[in-house]
Amino acid sequence: MFNAVKTAMQLKHLKTLLTPQDGAAKVTCMAWSPNNGKFAVCTVDRVVLLYDEQGERRDKFSTKPADSKYGKKSYAVKTMAFSPDSTKIAIGQTDNVIYVYKIGEEWGDKKVICNKFVQTSAVICLLWPAENAIVFGLAEGKVRLANIKSNKSSTIYGTESYVVSLTSNVSGKGILSGHADGTVVRYFFDDEGSGESQGKLFTHSCPPYSLAWAANSIIVAGCDKKIVVHGKEGHVTQTFDYSRDVSEKEFTVAATSPSGQSVVIGSYDRLRVFNWSPRRSAWEEAKPKEIANLYTITALSWKKDGSRLCAGTLCGGVEQFDCCLRRSIYKNKFEMTYVGLSQVIVKNLSTGTRVVLKSHYGYQIDEVKIMGKDRYLVAHTSDTLLLGDLGTNKLSEVAWQGSGGNEKFFFENENVCMVFNAGELTMIEYGNNEILGSVRTEFMNPHLISVRLNERKQRGVEDNKKLAYLIDIKTIAIVNLTGGFNLGTISHDTKIDWLELNETGHKLLFRDKKLRLHLYDIVSSTKTTVLNYCSYVQWVPGSDVVVAQNRGNLCVWYNIDSPERVTMFPLKGDIADLERSNGKTEVIVTEGVNTISYTLDEGLIEFGTAIDDGDYHRATAFLETLEMSSETEAMWKTLSKLSLEAKQLHIAERCFAALGDVAKARFLNETNKIADQIAKQYGGDGTDYYQVKARLAMLEKNYKLAEMFYLEQNAIDEVMEMYQELHMWDDCIAVAEAKGHPELDNLRRSYYQWLMETKQDEKAGEVKENEGDYTGAINLYLKAGLPAKAARLAMNRDELMANSDIVNRIAAALIKGDFYERAGDLFERIRNHQRALECYRKGFAFSKAVELARAAFPADVVKLEETWGDYLVQQKQMDAAINHYIEAGCSSKAIESAIGARQWKKAVHILGLQDDKSSGKYYYKIAQHYASIQEYEVAEHLYVKSDHIKGAIDMYTQAGQWEQAHKLATKCMNPEDVSALYINRAQDLEKEGKYKEAERLFTTVDEPDLAITMYKKNKMYDDMIRLVAKYHKDLLTDTHLHLAKELEGETRFQEAEYHYLEAKEWKAAVNMYRVNDMWDEAYRVAKAHGGANAHKQVAYLWAKSLGGEAAVKLLNKFGLLETAIDYAADNCSFDFAYELARQSMKHKIPDIHLKHAMFFEDEGKFAEAEAEFIKAEKPKEAVLMYVHNQDWNGAQRVAEAHDPDSVADVLVGQAKFAFDLKEYQKAEAFLLRAQRPELAIKYYKEAGMWIDAMRICKEYVPNKLEILQVEYEKEAVKKGPSGVAGMVEQAREWEQSGEYARAVECYLKVKDKDNIPLVEKCWMKAAELAIKFLTQEKNHGCDSSGWATTY
């Protein structure tokens, strides 16, 4: 893409469409079609040539004169324009006429004149800005409007000067006309809120043949060679003066780019290009396009997408130019052509399709991006955002403040682009220049936002735009985007991970994190859970059918209004997709590596769609293709209901026929015949006719409404007929009475006759009763088997009661019908008390019987009360029976009734009045009740009274009141029995799983060991430990240890750890985790409980178990790598130490080798030790090892090979060893080889071998000889005679070796008082040697020294 935006329009010659001729053959006019598909050229020979978009000539047609009698050459074509739909061309001619030709949409379509507008003067220029309106200028100075629809023309405004030019603004809502006197006039059809003035705008210095209305200016030029730019109100803002340019000729024609930001003006051999500069707010001239021999340019036409400019010349040539500011290739798939600052053509290189992206506000378009699988355009201007759908060619431009390019665009919905920026979601509908809506949300996942825009047409709904989104992770908001109000808020108890509206926006499906699928009805605001464990859900496109997966089932709701009715199929795999095409809906399921499709019932799917769309004919057609099933039946019922509501009665008839409801189908068939007849006579559909409305009300069983419809039309006979057909005689007679119908008496007779014929004796009796014929009414009532009704009538009429025959008949009928109470009333009325009492008894009317008995038979009252109580007990009316038993003196029955009626206090009260010993069983029952309601003291009292002490103890035990139970038990039982009772009860509680209660019992009788055993058996170790700590504290540690080992065996490591630690055996816990390869836990325990170094040892062992790089990472993590290496080496794990060191600490390897060598040395493996010492770069240590072990050859070999500096040390060692063995010559040789004569002297001295010491000193360390001599003499003196002999021997050796001076000195030093002859002899020898071999001075010295001593 370009880094810098170019603002200069560039014209590049593409091709010659029409070759120029040698002479004058002027191109009079040209026009591009608004759809960019056609280009028309009219030449001087009045023929219109049609070219396609690529510049290939595809068609042509000849124009016609206004009147053929003047001939084909009697006129010239001055102007033409395409209609907005590109199917017509308007031609303006000098013979005072405008023709409109219909050229069709396809090449080769027949050209037909569809409109003709005759004028009073020549048509000079023409525009076609709106669908049915052509604007044109005449030679007489008028600007007029031709209406295509009415085929009439009218004057917009008139001037006195010839119209030389006519142009419109970019939107086509305003026009400018230029006149021969230089005047320029403006007129608006719609000023679009600009407030700009109309009328004469300014006067140019010459006729403005070149007139252009750009986005911000009006540009005028003519024969004075000046191009003048005027502002919106006509003032001059810029002037380009070429009057001094001799190569320039007059300006003849001008054209404005579709964006209004470039203007091209034609003259002789030249096209001048001017571009608007937003930065300077001025027009800038680009380099002109000069073409030699082009001659005067007579016509210009700019393609509506701005990409091409065509120029026609005086010689009949037509040249085509490419126009663009810049051009670039995007992703090697699209070509971007910037034909203006505010207009870009985007071309798909593979398909050739093009889209023109244009800012309607004239803002400069920045870089265009193509996103969303190369389907959607996104571009910014300084104040707006442009979006486009390349698939549907829908473009939008909305106001948009710059946000630094941080917006995120989501293109999942084909109808709307969702833009997310800084927590705000903005929705922009493609093709709409207003923002659809904005909401605040932090959840910009396409699965958590659902937008529905008019996706299915619905009855009575024009604009249906809904949005569902998350306010927070548990709250859904549903918004009507058309009205901008909230339709509902759903607060859920779990996080929501998916939601989607249906296409009509009436229902919402959403799923939460627990995989529960919910349906929300927006109209009724009801939420229903429809599926659990939902792993997939989707609305079927184009319908309200839902497909979901629940574990191994495919679930389909064909009618989502009945969510409980779901069709399920077993699945082996998972749903991957849902496809609906070619009248077929398939669920794609992946089963392993295979893909299987399940076909859904398309008819059932289509039914819902048809119902929602109100197309009941289509719904009927779908249902007729289906076999009857429960789902189909439900759909027929739904359709029948909806079609009746919509008064589509033929469909309703078909529905009832399908459902097998013959009566309704026949009734509707008759109704339809009436409606059809009325519709045929009066038009419409006949459903508003009163008979049709009344019959529909009858169908709904709303007979009063039907009556109203009939009576509104005074159709009394029809109302009466309706009621008679329905056998609703009472309503029929009521209508007849109200309207005074003459047939009233006949109706009544017919009614009575009908009643008798149909054996409706009761109804006939009521008629007779109403007429005053009471005897006849009674006869009919008795005939109808209604003696009670007859008795009621008779008892209300004294004259009838006086008739014994009637009374006896009624009484017999009542007794026969088991109406004993009524018969008793009748007998009591005629004072037959005995019969009345019998009837009351048989009819269980005891109240009346007792009342009668008190008056007539007092002795029977007690018996009646008991019988009454028995009856009430049979009827389960225990409460009512108590008092009757008390009245009868039946205490036992009264107590049982009180207990049965749960009147416990009353039962206790009655018992308290009894002395009967058998009352104990009642006390026991009542005690159980009071125990159940936890009134334990009362229950205990009653248990004791019933002699069931064990029951009271059990009560207290079950209630956990062990102290009360124990107190009662010890009070009433011996200790052994109490203990046995408690232990047995505790064991029962243990079996019931009531361990705490069992423990309480065990401990109450001092048997905690049994409780401990119980807890151990049931593996309730915490409770076991608690009891051990309480009752056997000395065994607590052992118990913890025992439990830990047991839990370890059961792999319950966490619990085992707890017990190990409680037993202070942390090492056992660590070892447990080690054995089970749970090193994390082992390390944790060691670090928490094992002292300073325990966790390091565990980390070391852990690393050792891992080995390799994993071990290094682990030890590095704990910061123990170097420590572990040292530890491994110190503990003879040399392989592991080497492994760790090689991975990460290679500088430690020599240390490991050294320790390894020492280990081998200690083990006596000297060869291996030697190798390791050398690897550790410590050969001296190997030498010392061999020296220490007196392996001199080995020491010598290693020293010579690896540590020459140690060779001397080896020799010294060997020498010392030889001296120890008294191998002096050998030792001397070693020391001399080691160049250590001083050591040889030292060793000889220590051995008392002074002669050898003197010899070595004389030979190798002569400078120390005198010192050694002195030492020797001192030593000789100390030793006495043995020392003198040594000195004599030393003197002889000096003599023999020619050291006469030393020999003399030695002889002279011989002093032994015990051996004077030897001394003399030595002195004489000294003198002899001195005389013979020494100088005079030395002789004198010898004399003075030798003889000075006296003994």
Side-chain angles (χ1 to χ4, degrees):
M1 300 294 289
F2 287 89
N3 293 322
V5 177
K6 295 181 180 179
T7 58
M9 170 67 70
Q10 301 170 355
L11 294 182
K12 179 183 177 183
H13 184 265
L14 288 180
K15 63 192 300 186
T16 300
L17 302 187
L18 194 59
T19 305
Q21 299 179 20
D22 292 337
K26 178 181 178 182
V27 172
T28 56
C29 54
M30 300 186 301
W32 274 100
S33 65
N35 67 1
N36 300 307
K38 295 176 182 177
F39 175 59
V41 177
C42 188
T43 57
V44 72
D45 57 2
R46 297 166 292 280
V47 175
V48 176
L49 307 177
L50 294 174
Y51 294 82
D52 63 14
E53 195 174 2
Q54 283 71 41
E56 300 296 327
R57 198 167 91 181
R58 304 294 297 274
D59 206 349
K60 70 175 183 176
F61 65 91
S62 299
T63 58
K64 295 184 178 181
D67 194 337
S68 58
K69 69 181 180 181
Y70 296 115
K72 293 182 179 181
K73 297 184 179 181
S74 62
Y75 67 96
V77 175
K78 292 289 288 182
T79 181
M80 67 177 169
F82 274 91
S83 64
D85 64 2
S86 304
T87 60
K88 302 183 183 75
I89 294 181
I91 305 288
Q93 302 177 178
T94 56
D95 55 353
N96 306 351
V97 71
I98 296 173
Y99 282 114
V100 178
Y101 292 85
K102 185 174 182 180
I103 62 172
E105 296 181 3
E106 302 296 329
W107 301 112
D109 285 356
K110 187 177 180 182
K111 312 301 182 288
V112 178
I113 295 175
C114 55
N115 293 91
K116 178 180 180 182
F117 299 96
V118 178
Q119 304 301 318
T120 55
S121 65
V123 179
I124 306 303
C125 39
L126 176 149
L127 300 172
W128 198 334
E131 185 63 37
N132 295 311
I134 300 172
V135 179
F136 56 94
L138 301 178
E140 63 187 15
K142 291 180 181 178
V143 175
R144 308 198 73 201
L145 180 73
N147 190 309
I148 303 299
K149 210 166 187 179
S150 64
N151 208 31
K152 293 181 179 178
S153 56
S154 58
T155 301
I156 300 174
Y157 59 86
T159 65
E160 299 300 322
S161 180
Y162 184 100
V163 180
V164 296
S165 55
L166 190 65
T167 188
S168 68
N169 59 4
V170 174
S171 66
K173 302 286 180 68
I175 58 170
L176 283 175
S177 60
H179 300 266
D181 61 357
T183 304
V184 175
V185 179
R186 179 163 64 191
Y187 178 81
F188 284 108
F189 299 105
D190 180 1
D191 68 359
E192 301 174 276
S194 67
E196 295 173 11
S197 62
Q198 299 189 107
K200 180 179 176 182
L201 204 58
F202 58 85
T203 301
H204 191 54
S205 57
C206 63
Y209 282 99
S210 300
L211 180 63
W213 192 349
N216 298 287
S217 311
I218 297 167
I219 299 178
V220 185
C223 57
D224 61 354
K225 300 186 185 181
K226 292 181 181 179
I227 298 174
V228 182
V229 180
H230 295 263
K232 292 181 179 179
E233 291 302 322
H235 58 279
V236 176
T237 58
Q238 286 178 269
T239 301
F240 299 89
D241 189 349
Y242 305 99
S243 57
R244 295 184 179 181
D245 186 349
V246 294
S247 66
E248 188 61 272
K249 305 248 188 304
E250 65 181 21
F251 297 112
T252 54
V253 65
T256 308
S257 69
S259 65
Q261 292 176 329
S262 296
V263 172
V264 173
I265 298 176
S267 60
Y268 183 83
D269 284 351
R270 185 181 289 118
L271 291 170
R272 291 195 180 272
V273 182
F274 295 87
N275 298 296
W276 173 254
S277 172
R279 185 174 55 82
R280 292 182 57 236
S281 295
W283 289 88
E284 296 179 344
E285 183 179 8
K287 183 180 179 181
K289 191 72 175 178
E290 298 187 9
I291 304 174
N293 303 317
L294 191 64
Y295 298 105
T296 300
I297 295 169
T298 57
L300 286 174
S301 181
W302 216 310
K303 193 177 180 182
K304 302 306 178 185
D305 65 7
S307 63
R308 301 283 186 271
L309 176 71
C310 291
T313 67
L314 182 65
C315 296
V318 177
E319 308 295 336
Q320 190 177 67
F321 298 90
D322 175 71
C323 310
C324 75
L325 298 180
R326 69 179 190 266
R327 183 177 281 109
S328 61
I329 302 298
Y330 187 86
K331 293 183 178 178
N332 292 323
K333 296 179 180 178
F334 297 91
E335 181 186 69
M336 307 282 188
T337 304
Y338 288 75
V339 297
L341 294 177
S342 61
Q343 187 167 336
V344 183
I345 300 173
V346 181
K347 179 180 179 181
N348 189 318
L349 296 175
S350 59
T351 63
T353 56
R354 299 195 303 172
V355 172
V356 180
L357 191 63
K358 179 179 179 181
S359 170
H360 299 287
Y361 304 100
Y363 295 129
Q364 181 174 328
I365 297 175
D366 297 332
E367 180 182 3
V368 180
K369 295 180 180 178
I370 300 176
M371 307 168 76
K373 297 181 181 177
D374 295 334
R375 176 172 172 178
Y376 299 98
L377 295 171
V378 178
H380 287 83
T381 71
S382 58
D383 296 303
T384 62
L385 175 67
L386 290 95
L387 297 167
D389 183 347
L390 294 174
T392 60
N393 205 14
K394 290 182 178 179
L395 305 175
S396 303
E397 184 177 14
V398 298
W400 194 264
Q401 294 304 315
S403 55
N406 295 320
E407 308 96 341
K408 292 183 179 179
F409 296 89
F410 293 85
F411 303 100
E412 280 73 11
N413 192 304
E414 292 188 352
N415 300 313
V416 63
C417 177
M418 292 181 280
V419 188
F420 188 71
N421 184 42
E424 184 170 12
L425 172 65
T426 303
M427 282 145 293
I428 302 167
E429 184 180 2
Y430 300 116
N432 192 330
N433 291 331
E434 296 291 334
I435 290 176
L436 187 59
S438 295
V439 294
R440 297 289 301 178
T441 180
E442 295 297 331
F443 304 96
M444 195 50 232
N445 183 330
H447 297 304
L448 299 176
I449 296 173
S450 179
V451 186
R452 296 293 192 181
L453 306 181
N454 298 323
E455 294 185 32
R456 286 222 313 271
K457 289 293 181 184
Q458 304 165 69
R459 295 188 309 278
V461 180
E462 290 297 323
D463 209 8
N464 183 27
K465 299 177 180 180
K466 306 278 177 61
L467 163 71
Y469 69 99
L470 286 186
I471 298 174
D472 59 52
I473 198 66
K474 294 182 181 179
T475 308
I476 303 172
I478 304 164
V479 179
N480 184 319
L481 294 172
T482 304
F485 56 87
N486 199 312
L487 292 173
T489 302
I490 308 167
S491 296
H492 195 52
D493 57 359
T494 311
K495 292 181 180 180
I496 297 161
D497 68 356
W498 180 90
L499 61 85
E500 188 168 15
L501 291 163
N502 70 337
E503 292 172 343
T504 60
H506 291 156
K507 297 186 185 295
L508 173 73
L509 280 174
F510 66 93
R511 187 183 68 181
D512 59 31
K513 290 286 186 181
K514 295 181 179 178
L515 299 182
R516 294 178 301 184
L517 180 64
H518 307 272
L519 174 70
Y520 183 77
D521 188 304
I522 296 170
V523 176
S524 63
S525 300
T526 55
K527 181 173 74 172
T528 309
T529 301
V530 295
L531 194 66
N532 290 318
Y533 307 108
C534 175
S535 58
Y536 176 92
V537 60
Q538 193 62 53
W539 294 100
V540 173
S543 75
D544 286 341
V545 176
V546 176
V547 172
Q549 182 173 2
N550 166 14
R551 290 179 171 167
N553 294 312
L554 167 64
C555 306
V556 184
W557 287 266
Y558 287 108
N559 187 0
I560 197 63
D561 288 321
S562 302
E564 72 282 355
R565 303 188 73 163
V566 55
T567 305
M568 302 182 80
F569 306 98
L571 284 182
K572 292 182 181 178
D574 296 319
I575 298 177
D577 200 4
L578 184 66
E579 295 180 356
R580 189 175 192 208
S581 59
N582 302 323
K584 191 176 182 181
T585 302
E586 292 183 317
V587 180
I588 309 301
V589 178
T590 56
E591 295 184 0
V593 296
N594 299 320
T595 300
I596 297 174
S597 63
Y598 291 77
T599 303
L600 301 185
D601 193 324
E602 188 65 19
L604 297 177
I605 295 173
E606 283 295 328
F607 174 77
T609 308
I611 290 296
D612 284 334
D613 296 348
D615 192 346
Y616 299 141
H617 291 284
R618 191 174 69 177
T620 307
F622 291 146
L623 291 180
E624 284 178 342
T625 63
L626 305 178
E627 293 183 5
M628 186 58 74
S629 65
S630 59
E631 289 87 358
T632 312
E633 184 179 347
M635 292 179 186
W636 277 116
K637 286 181 180 177
T638 301
L639 182 57
S640 67
K641 179 183 174 184
L642 293 172
S643 57
L644 274 178
E645 289 175 358
K647 294 187 178 180
Q648 296 194 20
L649 304 183
H650 288 283
I651 293 174
E653 177 189 342
R654 175 67 187 89
C655 291
F656 287 119
L659 291 167
D661 193 338
V662 177
K664 284 186 178 178
R666 181 177 293 171
F667 185 81
L668 281 171
N669 181 265
E670 295 171 1
T671 307
N672 281 325
K673 287 179 180 177
I674 296 170
D676 293 344
Q677 186 178 355
I678 295 301
K680 192 173 182 181
Q681 290 179 1
Y682 303 107
D685 58 4
T687 55
D688 288 331
Y689 188 54
Y690 78 95
Q691 287 184 353
V692 175
K693 291 197 290 185
R695 288 176 71 85
L696 290 177
M698 290 163 63
L699 195 63
E700 297 294 327
K701 294 185 172 53
N702 193 344
Y703 302 117
K704 287 297 178 184
L705 180 62
E707 177 188 321
M708 185 190 76
F709 287 137
Y710 280 128
L711 292 180
E712 282 176 353
Q713 303 297 324
N714 203 30
I716 300 169
D717 291 337
E718 292 181 47
V719 177
M720 293 169 62
E721 183 183 349
M722 172 187 76
Y723 281 134
Q724 287 177 56
E725 283 181 3
L726 296 167
H727 302 299
M728 297 171 67
W729 290 94
D730 292 333
D731 294 295
C732 180
I733 290 169
V735 171
E737 286 177 347
K739 296 296 182 180
H741 199 277
E743 294 294 320
L744 180 59
D745 292 335
N746 290 336
L747 272 175
R748 286 174 175 160
R749 281 195 295 275
S750 299
Y751 182 28
Y752 181 75
Q753 184 179 354
W754 176 75
L755 290 173
M756 297 306 292
E757 287 174 355
T758 56
K759 305 261 190 284
Q760 296 186 53
D761 297 320
E762 180 187 3
K763 222 32 174 159
E766 289 174 358
V767 171
K768 284 292 184 186
E769 185 179 346
N770 291 334
E771 290 175 354
D773 186 358
Y774 301 117
T775 304
I778 286 173
N779 291 332
L780 285 169
Y781 286 144
L782 292 174
K783 183 181 177 183
L786 299 168
K789 205 164 187 177
R792 177 191 56 77
L793 178 59
M795 290 172 71
N796 287 333
R797 310 298 302 181
D798 292 336
E799 67 271 18
L800 295 177
M801 291 301 294
N803 190 332
S804 59
D805 178 53
I806 289 174
V807 171
N808 288 332
R809 282 170 57 209
I810 293 172
L814 287 169
I815 291 169
K816 185 179 179 182
D818 293 336
F819 295 108
Y820 293 110
E821 186 177 355
R822 273 291 192 191
D825 291 339
L826 195 62
F827 282 126
E828 189 176 355
R829 181 76 180 272
I830 62 174
R831 302 189 182 283
N832 188 344
H833 298 303
Q834 187 65 45
R835 292 288 302 278
L837 188 60
E838 289 175 7
C839 286
Y840 283 142
R841 272 182 173 172
K842 287 182 180 178
F844 306 114
F846 292 105
S847 177
K848 291 181 178 180
V850 168
E851 188 179 344
L852 178 61
R854 283 197 178 113
F857 311 103
D860 293 343
V861 171
V862 172
K863 185 65 177 172
L864 273 172
E865 288 284 1
E866 184 178 358
T867 306
W868 192 356
D870 292 340
Y871 171 72
L872 289 172
V873 169
Q874 283 181 355
Q875 299 298 313
K876 306 298 182 188
Q877 297 181 34
M878 308 290 187
D879 199 0
I882 298 170
N883 291 329
H884 295 295
Y885 282 133
I886 292 172
E887 291 288 333
C890 300
S891 301
S892 296
K893 287 187 177 180
I895 293 167
E896 288 177 356
S897 295
I899 291 171
R902 303 182 73 79
Q903 294 282 348
W904 310 102
K905 290 183 179 179
K906 188 176 279 189
V908 172
H909 176 70
I910 297 169
L911 277 168
L913 301 174
Q914 305 301 312
D915 295 329
D916 192 353
K917 293 182 180 180
S918 64
S919 60
K921 62 179 181 180
Y922 299 124
Y923 278 120
Y924 183 71
K925 282 187 179 179
I926 299 169
Q928 286 179 317
H929 162 71
Y930 280 108
S932 69
I933 63 172
Q934 300 180 359
E935 292 191 17
Y936 299 121
E937 290 183 11
V938 178
E940 179 191 337
H941 173 70
L942 294 171
Y943 275 127
V944 171
K945 290 192 79 170
S946 67
D947 201 25
H948 278 75
I949 296 171
K950 188 176 181 300
I953 294 169
D954 287 343
M955 171 189 75
Y956 281 127
T957 303
Q958 289 175 354
Q961 296 189 15
W962 316 108
E963 293 79 7
Q964 295 290 338
H966 192 253
K967 180 180 175 184
L968 185 60
T970 52
K971 183 178 177 182
C972 304
M973 301 168 70
N974 61 52
E976 291 78 13
D977 292 339
V978 171
S979 182
L981 174 67
Y982 266 57
I983 290 170
N984 289 333
R985 179 61 185 150
Q987 288 170 345
D988 292 338
L989 289 170
E990 179 185 350
K991 290 175 183 174
E992 295 171 12
K994 298 178 179 178
Y995 302 113
K996 289 289 182 187
E997 293 84 346
E999 179 196 328
R1000 291 285 294 274
L1001 290 180
F1002 282 132
T1003 54
T1004 301
V1005 294
D1006 296 324
E1007 290 289 348
D1009 289 350
L1010 292 176
I1012 291 168
T1013 304
M1014 171 188 73
Y1015 281 131
K1016 182 181 179 184
K1017 184 170 67 177
N1018 290 286
K1019 298 186 177 180
M1020 298 173 69
Y1021 299 126
D1022 290 341
D1023 292 298
M1024 176 186 169
I1025 289 294
R1026 176 172 52 79
L1027 293 181
V1028 171
K1030 187 173 182 182
Y1031 297 102
H1032 299 290
K1033 202 163 189 178
D1034 56 321
L1035 299 175
L1036 184 60
T1037 301
D1038 293 339
T1039 305
H1040 276 300
L1041 202 55
H1042 172 74
L1043 284 181
K1045 290 176 180 176
E1046 195 167 313
L1047 288 166
E1048 181 180 352
E1050 295 174 7
T1051 68
R1052 294 163 65 180
F1053 301 122
Q1054 290 289 339
E1055 297 167 69
E1057 176 197 327
Y1058 167 75
H1059 291 292
Y1060 275 131
L1061 294 177
E1062 288 296 314
K1064 303 291 188 290
E1065 288 288 343
W1066 66 269
K1067 290 184 179 178
V1070 170
N1071 192 55
M1072 170 187 72
Y1073 284 128
R1074 277 185 55 207
V1075 169
N1076 290 282
D1077 202 27
M1078 298 172 69
W1079 291 99
D1080 280 319
E1081 301 298 328
Y1083 182 81
R1084 174 180 57 77
V1085 172
K1087 190 167 186 178
H1089 303 280
N1093 294 314
H1095 69 285
K1096 297 180 182 179
Q1097 294 176 2
V1098 173
Y1100 165 75
L1101 293 172
W1102 185 0
K1104 194 171 181 182
S1105 72
L1106 293 173
E1109 189 176 347
V1112 173
K1113 287 182 179 177
L1114 179 73
L1115 291 168
N1116 271 326
K1117 174 184 171 185
F1118 295 132
L1120 297 173
L1121 181 58
E1122 189 167 357
T1123 306
I1125 293 171
D1126 292 339
Y1127 185 82
D1130 292 342
N1131 286 275
C1132 306
S1133 293
F1134 298 108
D1135 291 340
F1136 184 49
Y1138 287 136
E1139 186 179 4
L1140 294 177
R1142 288 191 192 105
Q1143 290 278 351
S1144 59
M1145 300 187 79
K1146 293 184 179 177
H1147 67 278
K1148 295 288 288 184
I1149 292 175
D1151 293 342
I1152 301 167
H1153 280 300
L1154 181 60
K1155 291 179 180 179
H1156 202 177
M1158 291 176 177
F1159 168 74
F1160 280 135
E1161 183 179 353
D1162 293 341
E1163 292 289 313
K1165 298 178 179 179
F1166 303 121
E1168 292 87 339
E1170 175 194 329
E1172 294 300 323
F1173 277 130
I1174 291 168
K1175 288 178 183 175
E1177 298 177 359
K1178 297 282 187 180
K1180 191 174 186 68
E1181 298 295 329
V1183 172
L1184 293 174
M1185 172 188 72
Y1186 281 128
V1187 168
H1188 179 72
N1189 289 283
Q1190 298 178 357
D1191 183 351
W1192 308 111
N1193 293 330
Q1196 186 75 20
R1197 174 175 49 76
V1198 173
E1200 290 174 353
H1202 300 286
D1203 190 16
D1205 293 340
S1206 295
V1207 173
D1209 294 336
V1210 175
L1211 293 171
V1212 169
Q1214 284 181 280
K1216 193 171 186 315
F1217 181 69
F1219 267 113
D1220 293 340
L1221 295 176
K1222 301 191 185 299
E1223 296 178 357
Y1224 301 119
Q1225 291 299 319
K1226 208 176 193 180
E1228 181 183 327
F1230 284 136
L1231 289 171
L1232 292 177
R1233 279 178 61 194
Q1235 298 181 357
R1236 299 294 296 276
E1238 68 277 4
L1239 276 179
I1241 295 167
K1242 178 185 175 188
Y1243 291 150
Y1244 277 132
K1245 280 166 59 180
E1246 289 172 353
M1249 298 172 70
W1250 287 92
I1251 304 300
D1252 292 304
M1254 299 287 281
R1255 175 175 52 79
I1256 296 297
C1257 186
K1258 177 183 177 184
E1259 187 174 349
Y1260 296 102
V1261 196
N1263 57 325
K1264 292 185 178 180
L1265 184 58
E1266 289 183 10
I1267 299 170
L1268 184 63
Q1269 184 74 31
V1270 172
E1271 286 181 24
Y1272 172 58
E1273 289 173 359
K1274 288 179 181 177
E1275 189 68 23
V1277 172
K1278 287 179 187 176
K1279 289 183 179 179
S1282 62
V1284 171
M1287 190 168 291
V1288 171
E1289 183 63 32
Q1290 179 65 49
R1292 287 178 182 157
E1293 285 186 10
W1294 286 126
E1295 182 184 347
Q1296 289 172 5
S1297 61
E1299 293 285 337
Y1300 302 113
R1302 293 184 185 278
V1304 168
E1305 288 178 6
C1306 254
Y1307 281 132
L1308 291 176
K1309 288 177 182 177
V1310 175
K1311 296 174 183 177
D1312 188 357
K1313 294 178 181 180
D1314 298 329
N1315 195 350
I1316 297 299
L1318 177 63
V1319 174
E1320 290 178 353
K1321 185 180 179 181
C1322 288
W1323 286 359
M1324 289 299 292
K1325 188 66 174 171
E1328 183 183 339
L1329 290 173
I1331 294 167
K1332 192 182 287 187
F1333 298 106
L1334 298 183
T1335 62
Q1336 189 64 36
E1337 288 182 7
K1338 288 184 179 179
N1339 287 337
H1340 176 75
C1342 179
D1343 292 340
S1344 60
S1345 63
W1347 301 107
T1349 304
T1350 60
Y1351 291 92

